[in-house]
Structure formats: C-alpha cells, structure tokens
Amino acid sequence: MNHALPTRRRALALAGAVGLGSMALASCGDPSRQMTSADASSSAPLTLSLANSLDPQHVTSKALAAFATEVEERSEGRLRISMFDSGQLGSEPQVLGQLRQGIVDMTRVGSPGLAAWNPGYHAFGLPYVFDSEEHYYAALDSDAMQRFFTSNEDAGLLGLTYFTSGARSFYTGSTPVRTPEDAAGLKIRIQDMRTQVRMMSALGASPIVMAFGDIYTALQTGLIDGAESNETALDQSGHGEVAKCFSLTEHTRIPDLLTIGTPAWERLDEQDRTTLREAAQAATENHKKDWATSIEESYSAAAEMGVKFIEDIDQEGFREATREVVDEFGADFPEVADVLDIIEKARG
C-alpha cells in the first residue's frame, strides 16, 4: 500500500498544529509521533511527516514520493512517510522552524534557506561557483559535502540527501541577456536570498523579491522585465506564454535538500537511520535522470510556445562581473569559505 499521500483530515490537523506552533497539539491524537522506531511494527508503524512546497506533479515531488515508498518497503512497513505537498504546512522558512521543534519531521527546502542555521549554505546561492553539471554533481556527491550536509544536528536538523534543481538562467519578455551589460537596468524577480540580491546589484539590475506565483502576472503587466529560474518554469508554470527570451546564463545551480529534524532523527535507531539514508540516496540517483528528462521536455515544449533560447552568452564576463559577490561572502562567513573549498577540490 502507498502511504505517500495524506488524507485531508490528517493534513488539516497537522496544518492546524503547525499554525499554532505547538508540538503538543501536533502530537495530540497521533500516538505515532510519540513512538520510537524500536517500538514500531507493520501493524503499528512510525509515521513521519514530510513537508514540500512543490506541486505533487513536479519531478522532485515525485522523487520524494518514491523515497517514501522505498522507506516503507525497506522497513517492511514499520516506517511510513506522509507527504504534504503544495505548501500545505506553510512556507519553507516556517516549516524549518517547525522541523527543529518536532512539529514537522522532514522537509524539502532550497539549500540557501538553511543559512540561518549554518551560513555555509549561502555558498549554494553564489554565482558561477560550479563550472558545469559534472562539476556540480562531483562536488555534491563528495564525502566532504555529505559530511557538511549532516553537520547541523546540534542546530536541530540535518540533511539526508540533495536533489538538483538545475541551472538557473535569465528569462525576459523579449530582451536577450547575453552580457552583464544587457542585465543592467532590468527589473528581475529573485528569490528572497541575500546572495541573489548582491548578484543582481553587481550586474546593475534591480532585484525584485516576489512570490513565484506572482511572476506570470508581473511579466504580463511589465511590473518586472524578467525572472531567473530553470527551463521548467516556462512550460510547467506557463511563463513561456509571457516570456519569449530565455538566456542560458546558467549563473547558479542551487540544490534542494531533504532535511530531517533532530527530534525525529532521535526517534530512529541506527538501522532505521541507515534505511532513511539509503532510500534518500537512491532517490537522488533516480532523480538525476528524471530531472534531465524533465529539462529536455520543458525545452521542447517552450520552443513550441515560441520561446527563443539564447546560447551565445558571455559566461566569462558574467563570472568576472559577479566575482566580488563570491569573494565577499567567502570573507564574511568562514563556513562559506569551507564549502567553496569543497567545491574547488571537486574540479576535475
């Protein structure tokens, strides 16, 4: 049986508990939240909640659902994971706070969102720290990076694995962004991240922080000139209907992190911790292939929508124009410098 999808009753109950910020309320009526894995059985399983802001049809949501199924199978039904997609339990910052309190057990989060607890995560939002997809995977799969992901247990959370979210590039209504000079003066929607604010400032662009769901209308009305994301935004979110120029700057590669709260981690014995780690790593490997397929499909679909892909990009010019941002964060945060060193050592 697949327990990845929650019932509406459980979603509403846990969402209500989250809104009140009370672990006691989250646990009320749910004995599973007071169990340890040593007490669990197939007839009385330990159920862990997993919050995810993405739509359930997103390729990464599907990887998380596969992870949930794998955990149940590997544990012979003793461990089950209830999925809460589409931001049912709140925004990523809200859920991270609840993760540390034990209200929510696991979440998928954009890695720079973890910088509040470990500034080293700022490194993943910095421009041009990865030379290529191959370099990106070599760095994230390295033993040193895996140790970094699991180093925050004392802060109330630790990373189980990562999922790629591809290379982020600029897309606009009709203006190609081939050089740093082309970006100057443009109003670009960004995520609420310090690294992106600084990158846009270095390029002379105006950073506009807004929710992802507001981008379509903002592009349509001219409130913004463009945004930055991967190719899936064009077809899966319909942005290709109002943005006809996708410039392949590939300025950042920001991984998502599957994170578990320390309170949930402490309820698992060593064997079950291994089960979660191995299932998570298997999900990551499968997701790499699924992500590549998703990008190819989005590229083709966007081209049919009339989107023009700009490939003659002055990558070195962009790298030089934003180098000060990388240097600044490396100097301000020793943890960022440590992560950048791991990334540097992964260069082939």
Side-chain angles (χ1 to χ4, degrees), residues 99-307:
L99 196 79
R100 299 172 70 237
Q101 299 174 56
I103 298 172
V104 177
D105 298 314
M106 292 185 285
T107 189
R108 179 220 57 85
V109 62
S111 52
L114 295 165
W117 292 277
N118 185 331
Y121 282 99
H122 280 307
F124 297 111
L126 292 172
Y128 295 104
V129 295
F130 298 106
D131 294 338
S132 64
E133 183 177 72
E134 292 74 21
H135 177 212
Y136 168 83
Y137 282 137
L140 268 66
D141 290 333
S142 67
D143 290 341
M145 192 68 79
Q146 295 302 307
R147 287 194 294 272
F148 170 72
F149 288 153
T150 59
S151 66
N152 306 303
E153 189 172 353
D154 290 344
L157 46 83
L158 68 157
L160 289 174
T161 193
Y162 74 92
F163 296 104
T164 184
S165 62
R168 301 180 73 89
S169 295
F170 293 114
Y171 57 99
T172 61
S174 59
T175 305
V177 183
R178 293 184 170 91
T179 69
E181 291 75 22
D182 292 336
L186 295 180
K187 301 188 294 285
I188 303 293
R189 180 269 176 182
I190 62 167
Q191 298 169 289
D192 190 7
M193 290 166 39
R194 290 176 56 182
T195 50
Q196 289 201 335
V197 172
R198 281 291 294 115
M199 180 182 72
M200 293 302 169
S201 298
L203 293 173
S206 298
I208 308 295
V209 175
M210 69 170 57
F212 185 82
D214 295 333
I215 294 176
Y216 186 102
T217 301
L219 283 165
Q220 189 177 45
T221 60
L223 180 63
I224 58 175
D225 299 305
E228 56 85 50
S229 189
N230 59 67
E231 293 88 337
T232 63
L234 298 173
D235 67 320
Q236 295 182 18
S237 299
H239 294 178
E241 297 173 3
V242 290
K244 299 301 183 181
C245 224
F246 192 94
S247 302
L248 290 158
T249 52
E250 298 187 337
H251 45 266
T252 53
R253 297 176 185 271
I254 303 176
D256 290 341
L257 209 69
L258 175 57
T259 306
I260 186 169
T262 299
W265 191 244
E266 290 177 344
R267 291 159 63 200
L268 303 176
D269 62 28
E270 194 55 45
Q271 179 179 346
D272 290 323
R273 290 178 178 182
T274 298
T275 293
L276 255 67
R277 287 195 193 100
E278 291 179 349
Q281 290 166 1
T284 292
E285 291 305 310
N286 290 328
H287 179 261
K288 290 178 184 179
K289 294 173 284 189
D290 293 340
W291 181 267
T293 299
S294 180
I295 291 296
E296 291 175 3
E297 293 173 349
S298 290
Y299 190 102
S300 298
E304 291 180 3
M305 298 166 74
V307 176

Side-chain angles (χ1 to χ4, degrees), residues 10-11 13-19 21-27 33 47-53 81-84 87-108 156-157 258-265 267:
R10 179 172 167 78
L14 187 49
V18 164
S22 166
M23 188 192 315
L25 285 174
S27 300
R33 298 192 61 78
T47 301
L48 302 174
S49 57
L50 198 167
N52 172 33
S53 62
I81 296 174
S82 287
M83 293 287 298
F84 297 89
Q88 293 179 66
L89 303 186
S91 67
E92 290 185 7
Q94 290 172 330
V95 170
L96 282 171
Q98 294 139 14
L99 196 79
R100 299 172 70 237
Q101 299 174 56
I103 298 172
V104 177
D105 298 314
M106 292 185 285
T107 189
R108 179 220 57 85
L157 46 83
L258 175 57
T259 306
I260 186 169
T262 299
W265 191 244
R267 291 159 63 200

